[in-house]
Protein backbone atom coordinates (compact mmCIF):
# COMPACT_ATOMS: atom_id res chain seq x y z
CA UNK A 1 0.00 0.00 0.00
CA UNK A 2 1.02 3.58 -0.61
CA UNK A 3 1.42 6.46 1.81
CA UNK A 4 -1.24 9.10 1.21
CA UNK A 5 -1.69 12.72 2.36
CA UNK A 6 -5.11 14.40 2.35
CA UNK A 7 -4.74 18.13 1.77
CA UNK A 8 -7.42 20.80 1.67
CA UNK A 9 -8.92 23.67 3.61
CA UNK A 10 -10.80 23.29 6.89
CA UNK A 11 -14.15 21.64 6.14
CA UNK A 12 -13.06 20.23 2.75
CA UNK A 13 -14.06 16.75 3.96
CA UNK A 14 -10.67 15.28 4.90
CA UNK A 15 -11.98 13.52 8.02
CA UNK A 16 -15.11 12.23 6.28
CA UNK A 17 -13.02 10.77 3.44
CA UNK A 18 -10.35 9.40 5.78
CA UNK A 19 -12.89 7.41 7.76
CA UNK A 20 -14.08 5.67 4.59
CA UNK A 21 -10.53 5.08 3.34
CA UNK A 22 -9.71 3.28 6.59
CA UNK A 23 -11.97 0.50 5.27
CA UNK A 24 -9.38 0.06 2.49
CA UNK A 25 -6.78 -0.73 5.15
CA UNK A 26 -5.06 2.63 5.51
CA UNK A 27 -3.60 3.60 8.89
CA UNK A 28 -5.22 6.96 9.60
CA UNK A 29 -3.56 9.81 11.48
CA UNK A 30 -5.52 13.03 12.00
CA UNK A 31 -3.27 15.42 13.91
CA UNK A 32 -6.40 17.44 14.79
CA UNK A 33 -8.10 14.37 16.32
CA UNK A 34 -4.97 13.53 18.35
CA UNK A 35 -4.86 17.11 19.69
CA UNK A 36 -8.60 17.09 20.54
CA UNK A 37 -8.10 13.81 22.41
CA UNK A 38 -5.24 15.38 24.40
CA UNK A 39 -7.53 18.35 25.20
CA UNK A 40 -10.35 16.03 26.32
CA UNK A 41 -7.93 14.21 28.65
CA UNK A 42 -6.60 17.50 30.03
CA UNK A 43 -2.95 16.63 29.37
CA UNK A 44 -0.24 19.35 29.32
CA UNK A 45 -0.01 18.90 25.53
CA UNK A 46 -3.79 19.35 25.27
CA UNK A 47 -3.77 22.50 27.41
CA UNK A 48 -1.03 23.96 25.22
CA UNK A 49 -2.74 22.96 21.94
CA UNK A 50 -6.10 24.42 23.03
CA UNK A 51 -4.61 27.92 23.27
CA UNK A 52 -3.79 27.74 19.55
CA UNK A 53 -6.76 25.72 18.27
CA UNK A 54 -9.48 27.86 19.85
CA UNK A 55 -8.03 30.86 17.98
CA UNK A 56 -7.70 28.95 14.70
CA UNK A 57 -3.90 29.19 14.81
CA UNK A 58 -1.55 26.33 13.98
CA UNK A 59 0.02 24.37 16.82
CA UNK A 60 3.85 24.68 16.70
CA UNK A 61 5.61 22.39 14.21
CA UNK A 62 7.74 20.62 16.84
CA UNK A 63 4.62 19.52 18.78
CA UNK A 64 3.05 18.14 15.61
CA UNK A 65 6.22 16.40 14.48
CA UNK A 66 6.49 14.62 17.86
CA UNK A 67 2.95 13.26 17.31
CA UNK A 68 3.81 12.08 13.80
CA UNK A 69 7.12 10.46 14.81
CA UNK A 70 5.41 8.63 17.64
CA UNK A 71 2.64 7.39 15.27
CA UNK A 72 5.16 6.20 12.66
CA UNK A 73 7.26 4.56 15.37
CA UNK A 74 4.24 2.58 16.63
CA UNK A 75 3.46 1.29 13.12
CA UNK A 76 7.02 -0.06 12.68
CA UNK A 77 7.74 -0.79 9.01
CA UNK A 78 4.12 -0.95 7.83
CA UNK A 79 2.96 0.96 4.76
CA UNK A 80 -0.33 2.61 3.94
CA UNK A 81 -0.31 5.74 6.11
CA UNK A 82 -3.15 8.20 5.61
CA UNK A 83 -2.28 11.65 6.91
CA UNK A 84 -5.23 14.00 7.46
CA UNK A 85 -4.40 17.60 8.41
CA UNK A 86 -0.65 16.97 8.18
CA UNK A 87 1.62 18.32 6.76
CA UNK A 88 0.18 21.83 6.67
CA UNK A 89 3.33 23.96 6.65
CA UNK A 90 6.34 23.78 4.34
CA UNK A 91 8.60 22.87 7.24
CA UNK A 92 6.29 19.98 8.23
CA UNK A 93 6.39 18.74 4.62
CA UNK A 94 10.18 18.79 4.47
CA UNK A 95 10.44 17.12 7.88
CA UNK A 96 8.03 14.38 6.72
CA UNK A 97 10.15 13.80 3.61
CA UNK A 98 13.03 12.85 5.90
CA UNK A 99 11.07 10.22 7.82
CA UNK A 100 8.59 8.69 5.35
CA UNK A 101 7.87 8.56 1.64
CA UNK A 102 4.72 10.28 0.37
CA UNK A 103 3.33 8.49 -2.69
CA UNK A 104 0.04 10.28 -3.41
CA UNK A 105 -1.38 13.60 -2.24
CA UNK A 106 -5.13 14.06 -2.63
CA UNK A 107 -5.99 17.75 -2.79
CA UNK A 108 -9.64 18.39 -1.90
CA UNK A 109 -10.51 21.48 -3.91
CA UNK A 110 -13.42 23.53 -2.57
CA UNK A 111 -14.57 27.17 -2.30
CA UNK A 112 -14.46 29.25 0.87
CA UNK A 113 -18.27 29.71 0.73
CA UNK A 114 -18.87 25.94 0.78
CA UNK A 115 -16.36 25.48 3.62
CA UNK A 116 -18.15 28.08 5.76
CA UNK A 117 -21.53 26.47 4.99
CA UNK A 118 -20.29 22.99 5.95
CA UNK A 119 -18.44 23.96 9.11
CA UNK A 120 -21.28 26.10 10.46
CA UNK A 121 -23.55 23.04 10.19
CA UNK A 122 -21.06 20.42 11.47
CA UNK A 123 -21.83 18.66 14.75
CA UNK A 124 -19.61 16.04 16.42
CA UNK A 125 -20.36 13.41 19.03
CA UNK A 126 -18.65 14.36 22.29
CA UNK A 127 -18.44 10.68 23.19
CA UNK A 128 -17.21 8.83 20.07
CA UNK A 129 -16.20 11.72 17.78
CA UNK A 130 -18.58 10.77 14.91
CA UNK A 131 -19.22 13.66 12.51
CA UNK A 132 -22.61 14.93 11.33
CA UNK A 133 -23.86 17.82 9.29
CA UNK A 134 -27.22 19.43 9.99
CA UNK A 135 -27.73 20.07 6.25
CA UNK A 136 -26.15 17.11 4.45
CA UNK A 137 -25.83 14.36 7.06
CA UNK A 138 -28.22 14.99 9.97
CA UNK A 139 -28.51 12.52 12.88
CA UNK A 140 -31.69 10.41 13.10
CA UNK A 141 -32.63 12.02 16.45
CA UNK A 142 -31.82 15.70 16.93
CA UNK A 143 -28.73 16.28 19.09
CA UNK A 144 -27.99 12.54 19.49
CA UNK A 145 -25.31 10.36 17.95
CA UNK A 146 -26.73 7.52 15.79
CA UNK A 147 -23.84 5.24 16.77
CA UNK A 148 -23.59 5.63 20.54
CA UNK A 149 -26.38 7.99 21.66
CA UNK A 150 -23.83 10.60 22.83
CA UNK A 151 -24.51 14.35 22.76
CA UNK A 152 -23.77 16.20 19.55
CA UNK A 153 -21.82 19.41 20.06
CA UNK A 154 -20.20 22.11 17.94
CA UNK A 155 -16.39 22.12 17.79
CA UNK A 156 -15.01 25.16 19.64
CA UNK A 157 -13.24 26.27 16.43
CA UNK A 158 -16.42 26.05 14.32
CA UNK A 159 -17.65 29.55 15.15
CA UNK A 160 -17.79 32.05 12.25
CA UNK A 161 -14.81 34.27 13.23
CA UNK A 162 -12.57 31.26 13.92
CA UNK A 163 -13.65 29.49 10.70
CA UNK A 164 -12.68 32.61 8.70
CA UNK A 165 -9.33 32.81 10.46
CA UNK A 166 -8.60 29.08 9.94
CA UNK A 167 -9.24 29.58 6.24
CA UNK A 168 -6.80 32.52 6.10
CA UNK A 169 -4.18 30.47 7.97
CA UNK A 170 -4.73 27.68 5.46
CA UNK A 171 -4.12 30.05 2.50
CA UNK A 172 -0.97 31.42 4.08
CA UNK A 173 0.57 28.19 5.45
CA UNK A 174 -0.81 25.30 3.41
CA UNK A 175 -0.99 26.55 -0.19
CA UNK A 176 2.83 26.38 -0.26
CA UNK A 177 2.47 22.70 0.71
CA UNK A 178 0.07 22.16 -2.24
CA UNK A 179 2.66 23.74 -4.55
CA UNK A 180 5.46 21.65 -3.02
CA UNK A 181 3.67 18.37 -3.81
CA UNK A 182 2.48 19.60 -7.21
CA UNK A 183 6.11 20.20 -8.20
CA UNK A 184 6.95 16.66 -7.09
CA UNK A 185 4.23 15.32 -9.43
CA UNK A 186 2.34 13.44 -6.70
CA UNK A 187 -0.67 15.77 -6.35
CA UNK A 188 -4.14 14.67 -7.52
CA UNK A 189 -6.87 17.37 -7.50
CA UNK A 190 -10.38 16.23 -6.61
CA UNK A 191 -13.50 18.38 -6.79
CA UNK A 192 -14.60 18.21 -3.14
CA UNK A 193 -17.78 20.23 -3.61
CA UNK A 194 -19.72 17.12 -4.63
CA UNK A 195 -21.36 14.45 -2.46
CA UNK A 196 -19.21 12.33 -0.10
CA UNK A 197 -19.91 9.28 -2.33
CA UNK A 198 -18.69 11.05 -5.49
CA UNK A 199 -15.58 12.35 -3.74
CA UNK A 200 -14.84 8.88 -2.36
CA UNK A 201 -15.25 7.14 -5.72
CA UNK A 202 -12.99 9.70 -7.47
CA UNK A 203 -10.34 9.23 -4.81
CA UNK A 204 -10.52 5.44 -5.00
CA UNK A 205 -10.17 5.65 -8.80
CA UNK A 206 -7.18 7.97 -8.44
CA UNK A 207 -5.53 5.71 -5.87
CA UNK A 208 -6.13 2.58 -7.97
CA UNK A 209 -4.72 4.21 -11.12
CA UNK A 210 -1.81 5.48 -9.18
CA UNK A 211 -1.34 2.38 -7.05
CA UNK A 212 -1.59 -0.66 -9.32
P1 LIG B 1 -8.11 19.71 11.97
O1 LIG B 1 -8.84 18.89 12.93
O2 LIG B 1 -7.15 19.08 11.04
O3 LIG B 1 -9.16 20.60 11.22
P2 LIG B 1 -9.21 21.25 9.77
O4 LIG B 1 -8.06 21.02 8.86
O5 LIG B 1 -9.53 22.67 10.05
O6 LIG B 1 -10.31 20.48 9.06
P3 LIG B 1 -11.67 20.01 9.67
O7 LIG B 1 -11.48 18.83 10.55
O8 LIG B 1 -12.42 21.19 10.24
O9 LIG B 1 -12.45 19.63 8.32
P4 LIG B 1 -12.32 18.32 7.43
O10 LIG B 1 -11.63 18.68 6.16
O11 LIG B 1 -11.82 17.16 8.21
O12 LIG B 1 -13.86 18.13 7.08
P5 LIG B 1 -14.94 17.10 7.66
O13 LIG B 1 -14.76 15.78 7.01
O14 LIG B 1 -15.02 17.16 9.13
O15 LIG B 1 -7.24 20.83 12.75
C1 LIG B 1 -7.85 21.57 13.80
C2 LIG B 1 -6.78 22.45 14.44
O16 LIG B 1 -5.74 21.62 15.02
C3 LIG B 1 -6.02 23.40 13.50
O17 LIG B 1 -6.71 24.63 13.31
C4 LIG B 1 -4.69 23.58 14.26
O18 LIG B 1 -4.84 24.47 15.34
C5 LIG B 1 -4.44 22.18 14.85
N1 LIG B 1 -3.66 21.32 13.94
C6 LIG B 1 -4.06 20.13 13.39
N2 LIG B 1 -3.10 19.62 12.60
C7 LIG B 1 -2.07 20.51 12.63
C8 LIG B 1 -0.81 20.57 11.98
N3 LIG B 1 -0.41 19.60 11.12
N4 LIG B 1 -0.01 21.64 12.22
C9 LIG B 1 -0.38 22.61 13.08
N5 LIG B 1 -1.58 22.63 13.73
C10 LIG B 1 -2.41 21.59 13.49
O19 LIG B 1 -16.27 17.75 7.02
C11 LIG B 1 -16.75 19.00 7.46
C12 LIG B 1 -18.28 18.99 7.45
O20 LIG B 1 -18.74 18.84 6.12
C13 LIG B 1 -18.90 17.81 8.26
O21 LIG B 1 -20.10 18.27 8.84
C14 LIG B 1 -19.20 16.75 7.18
O22 LIG B 1 -20.30 15.94 7.52
C15 LIG B 1 -19.49 17.63 5.95
N6 LIG B 1 -19.04 17.04 4.69
C16 LIG B 1 -17.87 16.37 4.49
N7 LIG B 1 -17.77 16.01 3.19
C17 LIG B 1 -18.89 16.47 2.58
C18 LIG B 1 -19.37 16.43 1.23
N8 LIG B 1 -18.67 15.84 0.24
N9 LIG B 1 -20.57 17.03 0.96
C19 LIG B 1 -21.27 17.65 1.93
N10 LIG B 1 -20.89 17.70 3.22
C20 LIG B 1 -19.70 17.13 3.54
MG1 LIG C 1 -11.05 16.86 10.15
Amino acid sequence: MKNVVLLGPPGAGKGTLAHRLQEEGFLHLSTGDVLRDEIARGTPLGLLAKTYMDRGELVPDEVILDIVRSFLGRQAAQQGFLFDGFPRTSSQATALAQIAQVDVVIYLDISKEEVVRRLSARRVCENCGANYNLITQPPKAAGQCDRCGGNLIQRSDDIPEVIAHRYDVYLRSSIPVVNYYEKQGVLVRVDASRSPERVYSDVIAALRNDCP
Side-chain angles (χ1 to χ4, degrees):
M1 287 190 77
K2 303 267 173 146
N3 294 332
V4 178
V5 166
L6 300 182
L7 267 184
K14 301 181 295 293
T16 302
L17 176 61
H19 280 103
R20 291 204 59 187
L21 287 173
Q22 277 178 288
E23 292 161 18
E24 301 283 315
F26 285 102
L27 299 164
H28 176 211
L29 177 69
S30 158
T31 41
D33 286 352
V34 171
L35 295 169
R36 280 183 288 277
D37 180 59
E38 296 281 344
I39 292 172
R41 291 187 291 115
T43 66
L45 169 56
L47 294 177
L48 171 77
K50 189 169 167 51
T51 63
Y52 294 92
M53 291 168 77
D54 282 352
R55 289 181 290 126
E57 293 291 342
L58 295 182
V59 172
D61 286 342
E62 56 275 22
V63 172
I64 299 295
L65 288 167
D66 278 349
I67 292 172
V68 172
R69 285 195 199 96
S70 141
F71 168 79
L72 290 173
R74 280 197 306 276
Q75 313 303 339
Q78 286 191 58
Q79 288 286 295
F81 305 127
L82 180 64
F83 291 114
D84 153 8
F86 171 86
R88 61 211 281 166
T89 63
S90 295
S91 50
Q92 290 179 14
T94 48
L96 176 60
Q98 284 160 19
I99 48 178
Q101 179 177 315
V102 172
D103 301 303
V104 186
V105 176
I106 302 291
Y107 173 51
L108 297 177
D109 199 3
I110 192 165
S111 68
K112 182 176 181 181
E113 292 66 35
E114 179 62 12
V115 155
V116 171
R117 201 175 71 90
R118 285 185 185 178
L119 291 184
S120 308
R122 173 167 60 187
R123 296 294 181 272
V124 293
C125 174
E126 66 178 349
N127 180 43
C128 73
N131 261 261
Y132 295 87
N133 190 286
L134 297 182
I135 302 165
T136 57
Q137 202 200 331
K140 290 188 184 115
Q144 243 187 31
C145 179
D146 296 350
R147 277 198 226 155
C148 73
N151 280 334
L152 300 188
I153 56 164
Q154 207 167 6
R155 256 170 58 173
S156 56
D157 57 354
D158 278 350
I159 53 174
E161 317 82 81
V162 182
I163 294 172
H165 187 63
R166 284 161 63 202
Y167 193 84
D168 291 343
V169 168
Y170 162 77
L171 291 181
R172 194 169 61 237
S173 306
S174 302
I175 290 295
V177 180
V178 175
N179 297 335
Y180 170 86
Y181 286 124
E182 191 151 44
K183 274 192 199 133
Q184 290 187 9
V186 292
L187 194 87
V188 178
R189 281 173 195 269
V190 171
D191 176 359
S193 66
R194 294 158 316 142
S195 70
E197 290 69 30
R198 289 290 302 277
V199 173
Y200 178 72
S201 61
D202 272 15
V203 169
I204 286 294
L207 291 178
R208 294 211 169 119
N209 280 341
D210 214 60
C211 319

